[in-house]
């Protein structure tokens, strides 16, 4: 039985995982500032291939049979699709926004991904949208508009390119969430993520095989290591294991720490200037996404119809 102390501990560790994801975006921005040769494509390739291999090795040591998981053709194709259409846009398009703008904008735009999931389920599974879902969607839309315009609606404060790639990364959150649902019931999440990352990384290498001339300095490789370890390996394990002790809805609420840490870090480390409208827009997006996890309490004494 899970104790209250365990819940508090793993809630803290889940929040820490989200902070790590936010911080990793700052290190990615630092890398992009070093040299134009360091591109989102290269960073996504190296991050996904190295992380995928490490996760699969760990899965092997834990006797989770990573090779056997790919012998089932249906599961193998689903995992590959998860990597290419889920993990790839979530990471590549996110890094494109980080390079063109900053980690704060990239994280906040990606944070509207749950609304695309909600819309997909509403159309395909005929799920009825609650009043709070509609209100949250409107708030998120207003928040994105405020971020894009600084509250002055006659011009864009961020480029159309940033908005385009940011929204595509949010769509990637949708596919990243929906594609692996079935296979995760049969295969370890460690194995699914490992093969997914490796598949996506190999796909990018096939599409863009040219290796850039990366500055061979300790600063560059330290930042790369942080993106891989603090941005992928550690938070993945923390968040996955935390779901054994806390509710998924609680973990989703803790996701708010990611845009918060990315925004604060961008302000402190890169001199990002946030206008009052930017703060309002950011808060609207985050609060709206958190509102999707609010479930009405069942009235005591009310019998469920069977």
């Amino acid at each position: 039985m899970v104790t209250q102390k365990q819940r508090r501990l793993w809630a803290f560790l889940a929040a820490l995982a989200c902070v790590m994801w936010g911080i990793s975006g700052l290190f990615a921005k630092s890398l992009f500032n070093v040299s134009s040769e360091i591109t989102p494509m290269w960073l996504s390739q190296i991050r996904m291939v190295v992380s995928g291999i490490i996760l699969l090795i760990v899965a092997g040591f834990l006797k989770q049979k990573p090779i056997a998981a790919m012998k089932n053709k249906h599961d193998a194709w689903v995992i590959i699709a998860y990597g290419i259409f889920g993990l790839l846009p979530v990471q590549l398009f996110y890094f494109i926004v980080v390079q063109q703008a900053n980690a704060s904008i990239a994280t906040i735009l990606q944070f509207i991904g749950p609304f695309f999931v909600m819309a997909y389920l509403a159309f395909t599974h005929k799920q009825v949208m609650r009043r709070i879902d509609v209100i949250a969607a409107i708030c998120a839309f207003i928040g994105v508009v405020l971020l894009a315009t600084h509250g002055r609606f006659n011009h864009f404060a961020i480029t159309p390119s940033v908005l385009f790639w940011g929204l595509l990364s949010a769509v990637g959150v949708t596919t990243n969430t929906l594609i692996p649902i079935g296979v995760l019931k049969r295969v370890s999440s460690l194995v699914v993520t490992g093969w997914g990352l490796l598949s996506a990384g190999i796909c990018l290498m096939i599409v863009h095989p040219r290796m850039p001339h990366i500055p061979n300095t300790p600063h560059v490789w330290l930042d790369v290591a942080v993106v891989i370890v603090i941005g992928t390996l550690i938070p993945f394990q923390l968040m996955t294991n935390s779901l054994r002790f806390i509710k998924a809805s609680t973990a989703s609420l803790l996701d708010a720490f990611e845009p918060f840490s990315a925004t604060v870090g961008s302000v402190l480390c890169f001199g990002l200037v946030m206008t009052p409208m930017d703060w309002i827009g950011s808060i609207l997006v985050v609060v709206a996404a958190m509102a999707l996890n609010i479930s009405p309490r069942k009235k005591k004494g009310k019998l469920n119809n069977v």
Side-chain angles (χ1 to χ4, degrees):
M1 183 173 178
V2 179
T3 66
Q4 189 65 28
K5 186 176 180 180
Q6 286 176 314
R7 287 195 189 94
R8 284 196 295 266
L9 172 62
W10 282 100
F12 168 77
L13 292 176
L16 181 61
C18 296
V19 170
M20 287 182 176
W21 279 318
I23 290 174
S24 71
L26 301 176
F27 280 86
K29 181 65 174 177
S30 174
L31 276 170
F32 297 142
N33 289 344
V34 169
S35 169
S36 59
E37 288 288 319
I38 301 176
T39 63
M41 177 68 75
W42 177 80
L43 185 56
S44 297
Q45 288 173 342
I46 195 78
R47 177 191 191 185
M48 290 192 285
V49 169
V50 173
S51 298
I53 291 172
I54 292 174
L55 289 177
L56 291 174
I57 291 173
V58 172
F61 276 115
L62 296 176
K63 299 182 179 180
Q64 294 181 356
K65 302 178 179 178
I67 303 299
M70 298 299 281
K71 291 182 179 179
N72 181 308
K73 289 185 179 180
H74 175 266
D75 288 352
W77 281 114
V78 171
I79 291 171
I80 292 172
Y82 163 59
I84 295 174
F85 300 108
L87 292 170
L88 190 154
V90 162
Q91 301 196 37
L92 176 60
F93 299 159
Y94 170 82
F95 281 147
I96 290 175
V97 179
V98 170
Q99 182 192 44
Q100 295 185 4
N102 53 70
S104 174
I105 292 295
T107 308
I108 291 166
L109 289 177
Q110 197 174 71
F111 213 62
I112 67 174
F115 292 97
F116 288 115
V117 176
M118 181 183 68
Y120 172 82
L121 294 176
F123 281 107
T124 60
H125 292 66
K126 308 300 180 185
Q127 287 191 7
V128 179
M129 292 179 65
R130 303 168 301 166
R131 182 180 301 174
I132 193 170
D133 295 335
V134 176
I135 295 172
I138 294 172
C139 288
F141 174 76
I142 294 172
V144 171
V145 170
L146 290 177
L147 280 171
T149 64
H150 286 335
R152 291 178 289 176
F153 303 113
N154 60 342
H155 83 293
F156 270 103
I158 59 177
T159 65
S161 175
V162 167
L163 189 58
F164 173 76
W165 291 114
L167 292 177
L168 275 187
S169 74
V171 173
V173 171
T174 307
T175 52
N176 185 63
T177 301
L178 297 173
I179 291 175
I181 288 177
V183 75
L184 283 171
K185 296 175 182 178
R186 300 181 296 276
V187 183
S188 158
S189 61
L190 200 64
V191 173
V192 172
T193 306
W195 281 119
L197 286 168
L198 187 57
S199 300
I202 291 174
C203 176
L204 287 181
M205 287 183 169
I206 293 172
V207 172
H208 193 272
R210 188 183 75 85
M211 282 297 294
H213 298 289
I214 305 299
N216 189 19
T217 66
H219 171 225
V220 168
W221 296 113
L222 175 63
D223 283 358
V224 171
V226 170
V227 170
I228 292 172
V229 177
I230 294 182
T232 307
L233 300 176
I234 294 177
F236 167 77
Q237 286 301 304
L238 290 179
M239 185 58 77
T240 302
N241 288 320
S242 71
L243 294 176
R244 295 164 50 200
F245 301 93
I246 63 176
K247 296 179 181 178
S249 58
T250 302
S252 297
L253 294 175
L254 294 171
D255 279 345
F257 281 96
E258 183 177 353
F260 174 77
S261 60
T263 299
V264 172
S266 295
V267 171
L268 296 178
C269 299
F270 297 102
L272 173 66
V273 177
M274 295 281 286
T275 69
M277 286 299 178
D278 291 336
W279 285 110
I280 293 172
S282 302
I283 292 170
L284 279 174
V285 172
V286 173
V287 171
M290 292 168 64
L292 295 181
N293 296 288
I294 296 176
S295 300
R297 292 182 178 180
K298 294 181 179 180
K299 294 181 179 179
K300 293 181 179 180
K302 185 176 180 179
L303 296 176
N304 293 325
N305 295 324
V306 178

